[in-house]
Amino acid sequence: LGMGDGDGVRLSYRMVGEGKPLVVINDGPGYDKSIMYRGFDDLKSSMMVVYYDQRGCGTSEALAPTTSLSIADNVEDLEALRRYFHFEKMSLAGHGWGAVIALEYAHKYPEHVESIILVTPLSPFAPYTRLENLVDKVPEAARQSVASALENSGFSVLDRREAVMRAILPALFYKREAAAAVKWDGLRYAPEVSLRLGDELKSLDLFSLLPEIVQPTLVVVGRHDVSIPVRD
């Protein structure tokens, strides 16, 4: 564990294993890096796996209200972190929203990307309405938690956003035992990051970017995934 340099911000990171670097970019926006440990830690026997908390998330430096927060900022944070670690080349694994950072980075800095893994990436074909649309797909208990949060008059906009994030994320697991293994109480949420980046993602056009991605890329999507189904 440590704190590295982003583009004008400090970013929390965790490294396991040795070998060629694989940088893991977690889903969100607004979640922390620990949601990716299960599974990717298994790769530490053959490569160096690097996790980091994105700008304003997890245990990274808290953002001032005036600090810029955009997709471009996240791309430059990853580049600054690459320089901090002195990686000439690295592979990227982006999950969900993290795939946006991975693809945008690979497009801008292709010379530093060895290969790419996209795990349940955001669909390039549709506007970003993911959090709102997920509510109808999750189990009844999660829907009730969301409804309760939205109806709570004592909640601020950020309180409601965090409550929705907390309710939905565990419900996205197909295997209940896998969800039970996550330390949910220790997971940090950044609803302000989710709100600010969510506005930009609504007009995101990844489709036009895809033909320009030249690195070997593996796309992994689960058959039972309710977040980004195969049909999307």
Side-chain angles (χ1 to χ4, degrees):
L1 291 171
M3 291 290 285
D5 292 335
D7 185 30
V9 297
R10 298 284 283 165
L11 302 177
S12 171
Y13 69 86
R14 173 177 177 263
M15 305 175 73
V16 297
E18 297 181 356
K20 290 186 176 181
L22 171 70
V23 178
V24 180
I25 312 170
N26 61 264
D27 194 12
Y31 294 129
D32 77 34
K33 61 184 180 296
S34 66
I35 63 175
M36 303 300 290
Y37 296 169
R38 182 181 175 91
F40 277 96
D41 266 8
D42 294 339
L43 301 177
K44 64 184 179 182
S45 60
S46 57
M47 60 180 54
M48 177 188 295
V49 185
V50 181
Y51 309 86
Y52 74 98
D53 279 325
Q54 297 156 24
R55 170 175 294 233
C57 298
T59 53
S60 285
E61 179 183 2
L63 298 183
T66 55
T67 302
S68 178
L69 177 59
S70 66
I71 294 173
D73 291 324
N74 277 273
V75 170
E76 294 309 316
D77 283 344
L78 182 53
E79 170 59 9
L81 203 62
R82 180 197 66 79
R83 295 196 303 268
Y84 176 83
F85 291 130
H86 304 290
F87 294 153
E88 181 59 33
K89 276 199 168 188
M90 56 189 179
S91 292
L92 303 176
H95 178 215
W97 134 257
V100 176
I101 300 176
L103 290 173
E104 294 281 2
Y105 180 88
H107 179 251
K108 185 169 184 179
Y109 298 103
E111 68 276 15
H112 296 306
V113 179
E114 188 80 36
S115 59
I116 306 170
I117 304 171
L118 303 179
V119 183
T120 316
L122 292 188
S123 171
F125 300 102
Y128 180 77
T129 56
R130 190 174 175 207
L131 188 57
E132 293 80 359
N133 289 346
L134 280 177
V135 177
D136 293 333
K137 302 178 182 179
V138 297
E140 178 63 24
R143 292 200 299 271
Q144 290 179 357
S145 295
V146 171
S148 177
L150 296 178
E151 293 169 3
N152 191 327
S153 60
F155 275 8
S156 67
V157 172
L158 291 182
D159 289 335
R160 291 191 181 95
R161 189 71 172 190
E162 180 172 347
V164 171
M165 294 169 69
R166 286 183 179 275
I168 286 181
L169 186 58
L172 298 182
F173 284 72
Y174 177 68
K175 293 185 176 180
R176 298 297 96 190
E177 61 270 24
V182 178
K183 298 179 180 178
W184 298 108
D185 290 341
L187 190 62
R188 297 180 181 231
Y189 298 80
E192 68 282 2
V193 171
S194 176
L195 282 171
R196 290 176 64 184
L197 282 168
D199 286 341
E200 185 178 4
L201 285 171
K202 288 177 181 178
S203 59
L204 180 69
D205 178 16
L206 274 182
F207 188 68
S208 62
L209 187 68
L210 297 183
E212 301 182 39
I213 301 300
V214 298
Q215 298 85 355
T217 302
L218 172 66
V219 180
V220 182
V221 181
R223 177 180 301 168
H224 301 287
D225 197 295
V226 300
S227 179
I228 305 292
V230 175
R231 65 180 178 272
D232 285 354

